Amino acid sequence: MMEQYQKIKDQYPDAFLFYRLGDFYEMFNEDAIKGSQLLELTLTNRNKNSKNPIPMCGVPHKAVQNYIDILVDQGYKVAICEQMEDPKLAKGMVKREVIQLVTPGTQFQTGSENAKENNYLTALVYDKISDDYGFAYVDLSTGELKTTLLDNADLVFNEVVSLASKETVISDDVPHSMRDSLSKFGILLSKQVIDPINSAMSYLTQGIEEKPLTQVLQMLISYVQTTQKRSLDHLKRAVRYEPSDFLEMDHNSQYNLELVKNIRTGKKAGTLLWLLDQTKTAMGGRKLKQWIERPLVNKKIINNRHEIVDVFVNHYFERNQLQDELIKVYDLERLSGRVAFGSVNGRDLIQLKTSLQQVPKIQYIISQIESKDLKPLVKQLEPLDDIVDLIEAAIEDDSPISVTDGGVIKDDYNDQLDKYRDATNNAQKWLAELEAKERELTGINNLKVGFNHVFGYYIEVTKVNLPKIPEGRYQRKQTLANAERFSTPELKEKEAMILEAQEQSKNLEYKLFVEVREEVKQQIKKIQALADAIAEVDVLQSFAAVAEEYRFVKPVLVDDHAIDIVDGRHPVVEKVLGHQQYVPNDVKLNQDTNVLLITGPNMSGKSTYMRQLALSVIMNQIGSFVPAKEAKMPIFDKIFTRIGAADDLISGQSTFMVEMKEANDAIENATPNSLILFDEIGRGTATYDGMSLAQAIIEYVHNNIGAKTLFSTHYHELTALDQTLSNLQNVHVGATESNGELVFLHKIQPGPADKSYGIHVAKLAGLPDKLLTRADKILNELQDKTAEDKVGISSMNAEPEHNNEKEEQISLFPLETVDEHQSEVISQLKRLDLMSKTPMEIMNQVYKWQQKIKKN
């Protein structure tokens, strides 16, 4: 047995091997040692008395899924090794083989908490000739399969992280730098040889011609076929997409804007997804998340979604009826996946039937609304009555979970099955009659006829009543503590007949169930198309429900790239605070204004104001209404954000480095149709360095890019830029002092803020009065000093200085005190080539100069 185990284990060295032994899956050797720790199992030994006992632990086969999920969730692979023949019929060693390799990317999401989540397996190949990456991803549970060509490593990393992929299949050509980046982010890397093209690959890659794309798809499909070892009929044909087909946001922007994950908790609560999700189906929930992560840039499709949402908003009763029917629709996409995989059971088919029974009702409700915009959706909602009729005729409504133990197929569906059942039922009647007859004959009132899987049918008599049994009537079968079990020739004969009928009945039931499953399988593509249409209806009705509840308005799409939002709100903050407490604000950026420079105290709402614009843009471009009184908005192609201060601990970068990289990303890739949000750029370094960089970034964006930009800052000196940059406008968040207390108005007002109120904010945070008094005194001293030394801000637009004018420079020594020795030091300092010296050499030189000056 251990030889067989090791031979199989050698084929899966990077996975835990769950080796089936009877009613348990066992792990041995290193798998057992590590597995017992991760799964909190008792570690035992096989061959305890030998010189080298074998570490061993196991889990019951009926509870195995929970243990597999625990390991896979922690980033491990699990190979499931099954007994492939009946041990009773096996000649010698029972044949075993791995029937499935479960990995983080191929795990079917289970449980209601994951119902609205995709689990994407990604794949990557690198083409050295074109310097491009072929990229693809699949969700094995829903059949979604997509691919694209990416021309740089940053785009690849962004796609993988944005999809929240846990596993990436890579080719040998993928550079080590890319592998390191993905590994550091906790993504499992798996290698796969590309198998020769087969019929499944040919079908799934139809229409895809570019070599990197066909290669990555074939590699991904090969990996899925190799690990899953079963039908993949539910996989949809690969769809090629371009990142530019959608509003482009890197994963940092998605994270900063808290679109689907709360920064503080990592959960859904407190996100845009949380706010907009009033979907009634798991499919709708997943589609909503996909739309939020990939907003559109196609004006026609956006307008079409707006029109449908408007129709649903104006038809309250029909929308309520629609919601009542959608609630009864189960996850058609994942049910299709289970049908294709062969893992579907009777209860799943009943869920499928129940879901399909709602389709005509959904179709009727929508068709009752007179709207040309809804007609395409009505057409896509094609009822599948033949599948409903088949399941209705064949499958029991209260089917057991197991499909091999009987009780799945209805009476009157198959004549032969009915005969077996009649034989079994008649046998049960005969057994009841036998029990009554034997009680009467022996006078033992508690005599009973029973059954177990080991001894079959028996007559049980308590030991107290044994003397009442007529001599030679029964044959002893089993002795218990308080009773004896017997049999008779007649009972043995009937037992053989009953067991044969039950066995044949179970076998026939399973065969009939498989036939029903295969018939349903032929309709998977239609079920998936129907699921997609229902999901779209669900998301759009959700938009309407949210719009009505929170008073969102239908935005007007404009072509001139001007923004005019009246009383805009941050929808998530408003939901948390309540409508009465939230202060709305206008956002106005006309053709002649590209940059809003925002000043004001901490905690006043600068970041919220910036985020609310970004969320309104995203909501608009996914087809939702927006949180405002009125909204005229253009279509943006990209969003860039630098909001919040956070070190990138994974790559060891400081806050300032992260800040500069994100700023550079915007500067390199933004277009005039982009939106840029910069929150206090430059705060991560020294004051003058930060101020200089902030000013230079503003000037560069203003003069060279022309994107709509919101730039918040505490550098009040920058507010003078409105005198030299014609498309920049100053605004500030209002705050007032009342009896020494700071009151935030949370209202955006024209012009710059007069001061930042930092000490007032510290007071609100609860710092000691003594400390605050001291800080106030220091602040006054610094302000007095700054007033004396203040120098005006320069601008890239200012007139350049003449070359013959001397550049002003801070003197190291007051001129009146410089003697010949100090002059010599200054002369040497000017000539010193710093770049050619080591830090220690420079320190030594400075020490010599110091000694020379002190000595003289």
Side-chain angles (χ1 to χ4, degrees), residues 448-583:
K448 67 178 182 180
V449 176
F451 173 82
N452 70 30
H453 289 284
V454 178
F455 292 98
Y457 285 95
Y458 55 80
I459 297 169
E460 184 175 294
V461 179
T462 58
K463 287 192 173 179
V464 175
N465 291 311
L466 289 179
K468 294 182 180 181
I469 300 174
E471 185 70 29
R473 182 160 186 81
Y474 300 148
Q475 299 166 2
R476 183 173 272 103
K477 198 167 190 179
Q478 185 186 7
T479 300
L480 303 178
N482 298 314
E484 292 282 345
R485 288 177 176 175
F486 303 93
S487 184
T488 67
E490 189 182 15
L491 183 57
K492 281 182 181 177
E493 184 183 339
K494 207 68 174 177
E495 177 186 315
M497 188 189 76
I498 295 168
L499 293 179
E500 183 184 0
Q502 288 177 342
E503 190 65 26
Q504 288 176 332
S505 177
K506 285 179 186 177
N507 291 340
L508 179 56
E509 267 204 72
Y510 181 66
K511 181 186 173 190
L512 294 170
F513 176 80
V514 170
E515 287 175 0
V516 172
R517 186 183 72 199
E518 290 303 307
E519 211 167 320
V520 173
K521 192 173 172 180
Q522 302 305 314
Q523 306 261 28
I524 279 179
K525 300 303 175 191
K526 287 184 178 179
I527 296 171
Q528 288 176 325
L530 189 58
D532 194 56
I534 291 172
E536 188 168 339
V537 168
D538 196 11
V539 177
L540 293 170
Q541 72 77 23
S542 178
F543 286 166
V546 172
E548 184 178 65
E549 182 175 354
Y550 298 110
R551 305 171 336 283
F552 295 170
V553 297
K554 180 181 174 184
V556 177
L557 300 183
V558 298
D559 296 320
D560 60 1
H561 214 63
I563 302 173
D564 187 1
I565 297 175
V566 178
D567 283 353
R569 290 116 55 197
H570 188 299
V572 180
V573 175
E574 183 187 35
K575 180 177 177 178
V576 173
L577 288 180
H579 171 63
Q580 300 300 326
Q581 294 186 48
Y582 192 87
V583 179

Side-chain angles (χ1 to χ4, degrees), residues 30 55 144 172 252 330 340 428 465 477 585-586 594 617 649 659 675 679 699 781 796 807 829 855:
E30 290 301 318
E144 181 184 359
D172 288 332
N252 288 318
Y330 292 90
Q428 296 300 326
N465 291 311
K477 198 167 190 179
N585 275 298
D586 297 347
N594 288 334
V617 167
L649 299 177
E659 218 174 70
L675 175 65
D679 189 14
E699 290 172 342
E781 291 172 359
M796 287 173 67
E807 194 174 317
L829 178 60
K855 185 177 177 182

Side-chain angles (χ1 to χ4, degrees), residues 120-121 136-139 142-147 204-205 217 220-221 235-240:
Y120 290 121
L121 172 68
Y137 65 86
V138 65
D139 183 335
T142 65
E144 181 184 359
L145 178 63
K146 293 188 176 175
T147 186
L204 293 171
T205 60
L217 285 169
L220 181 58
I221 296 164
L235 290 191
K236 302 170 188 175
R237 275 186 184 164
V239 175
R240 179 171 182 177

Side-chain angles (χ1 to χ4, degrees), residues 673-717:
N673 295 322
S674 299
L675 175 65
I676 300 175
L677 306 176
F678 282 158
D679 189 14
E680 298 184 32
I681 285 281
R683 62 183 161 183
T685 187
T687 302
Y688 289 114
D689 281 354
M691 194 188 305
S692 304
L693 281 165
Q695 179 180 339
I697 289 169
I698 293 169
E699 290 172 342
Y700 189 91
V701 169
H702 180 278
N703 296 329
N704 298 291
I705 300 175
K708 296 297 184 189
T709 305
L710 270 59
F711 195 110
S712 75
T713 185
H714 280 296
Y715 298 135
H716 292 273
E717 294 83 353

Side-chain angles (χ1 to χ4, degrees), residues 113-308:
E113 71 279 5
N114 295 318
K116 293 186 176 183
E117 296 286 333
N118 287 101
N119 184 28
Y120 290 121
L121 172 68
T122 48
L124 193 61
V125 299
Y126 177 63
D127 189 321
K128 292 180 180 177
I129 299 172
S130 64
D131 195 29
D132 288 329
Y133 290 89
F135 178 77
Y137 65 86
V138 65
D139 183 335
L140 207 52
S141 66
T142 65
E144 181 184 359
L145 178 63
K146 293 188 176 175
T147 186
T148 189
L149 200 63
L150 303 171
D151 58 15
N152 67 70
D154 287 341
L155 283 175
V156 172
F157 185 76
N158 188 63
E159 285 294 294
V160 175
V161 175
S162 295
L163 290 166
S165 176
K166 299 173 187 172
E167 181 181 9
T168 301
V169 185
I170 59 170
S171 66
D172 288 332
D173 294 331
V174 173
H176 286 284
S177 58
M178 171 55 68
R179 299 185 196 193
D180 291 343
S181 295
L182 294 173
S183 294
K184 284 179 181 177
F185 216 79
I187 295 164
L188 177 67
L189 301 182
S190 300
K191 289 188 179 180
Q192 173 66 39
V193 177
I194 301 175
D195 294 334
I197 194 160
N198 54 39
S199 58
M201 287 184 191
S202 180
Y203 171 78
L204 293 171
T205 60
Q206 198 170 332
I208 308 292
E209 296 177 356
E210 286 183 71
K211 188 179 175 184
L213 300 186
T214 56
Q215 278 186 331
V216 75
L217 285 169
Q218 286 175 25
M219 183 179 73
L220 181 58
I221 296 164
S222 295
Y223 184 75
V224 172
Q225 289 176 333
T226 302
T227 57
Q228 303 310 296
K229 301 177 183 290
R230 59 189 75 190
S231 167
L232 300 174
D233 289 351
H234 69 299
L235 290 191
K236 302 170 188 175
R237 275 186 184 164
V239 175
R240 179 171 182 177
Y241 72 97
E242 299 293 339
S244 58
D245 292 341
F246 306 97
L247 172 64
E248 292 182 51
M249 298 177 284
D250 67 10
H251 66 277
N252 288 318
S253 294
Q254 292 186 18
Y255 175 80
N256 289 332
L257 295 172
E258 298 184 292
L259 299 184
V260 298
K261 186 182 287 188
N262 186 295
I263 291 175
R264 188 171 52 83
T265 65
K267 305 291 185 183
K268 176 182 171 182
T271 65
L272 182 63
L273 176 61
W274 169 71
L275 174 91
L276 293 177
D277 190 3
Q278 290 197 22
T279 58
K280 305 302 177 184
T281 68
M283 304 168 294
R286 289 195 297 272
K287 186 171 282 288
L288 171 60
K289 186 169 182 282
Q290 291 166 8
W291 284 10
I292 289 174
E293 291 173 333
R294 294 192 190 276
L296 300 170
V297 292
N298 184 307
K299 185 177 179 181
K300 184 178 178 183
I301 301 175
I302 295 170
N303 265 326
N304 179 249
R305 288 183 186 174
H306 285 157
E307 293 301 328
I308 294 174

